[in-house]
Amino acid sequence: KNGWAWVWVFLKLFLRYLNNKMFNFQIITLFPEAIRPYLDESILGRAQKAKKIKIGYFNPRDFTLDKHRKVDNKPYGGGPGMVMTLQPILDAVSAAKSKLNPPAGGKNQSASRRTKIILFSPSGKQFTNELASKWAKNYDNLIMITGHYEGIDARVKKILNADLSRHSSLPRANVEEISIGPYVLTGGEVPALVVVDAVSRQIPGILGNLDSPEEKRISSSEVYSRPEVYVYQGKKYTVPKVLLSGHQAEIEKWKLKTQIKRGSSRIKRW
């Protein structure tokens, strides 16, 4: 009995540690005010107030050495548009690194082991819910670089991977190019919002209910709420009777059946 009691105490302490752990998102963006309002509202806003997550913003214009705060230039080899230059981005990343969560194991443990740097790119690896879950478990810090114009100078990734920024004493971090879908956007701000939202949902304590993540339970793509009957242009639209039955086993069967009928997976996609 005493052995099981200690196991229970350990589990409670471990769960408390997970719930008290703060995940650090750092966003390198030219337009922080365009994305801050969304991240400060609803579940993500409450998560910040509860210190479950922390979101920092680093504008490359604040780090450029150009007196006109210029952060782009013409591409070598010609072509349309402008390319975001190295120096402002690298210095913004260095500033973001200085705000990293301290490693849980103390000074002797490298913070880089729990840090990931993301470059958003149409040609990057497809972002998935599985990746979001993996990052939430394996990292404490996520630095996201949002591009604009024709993209970011390719040497940024090479330098970050080689840890050759001017703050070379800082630990190396895992750098990866990521895409949120098979399309091209005007910038990386929307992908950053997607990643923050998807990863935050996987952090213990943010959704409140252990059953809240749809991917961890049978979730139908068809959902209904009050009223039970709605009349529109003379036609009645009703809630399926099984959902009103109170018979949970039959309700679960119905949910699974609608999933199969629609060919949907267990992961709800928006």
Side-chain angles (χ1 to χ4, degrees), residues 206-253:
I206 286 187
L207 293 183
N209 190 325
L210 291 177
D211 292 327
S212 290
E214 290 85 350
E215 62 272 22
K216 294 183 180 179
R217 55 183 167 85
I218 297 177
S219 179
S220 170
S221 55
E222 288 187 22
V223 292
Y224 298 85
S225 187
R226 279 64 178 171
E228 181 180 332
V229 179
Y230 187 79
V231 180
Y232 180 74
Q233 294 185 353
K235 183 177 179 180
K236 291 183 178 180
Y237 293 83
T238 61
V239 176
K241 290 183 179 180
V242 65
L243 298 180
L244 306 173
S245 68
H247 197 302
Q248 198 59 39
E250 292 300 317
I251 291 174
E252 295 300 312
K253 287 181 182 179

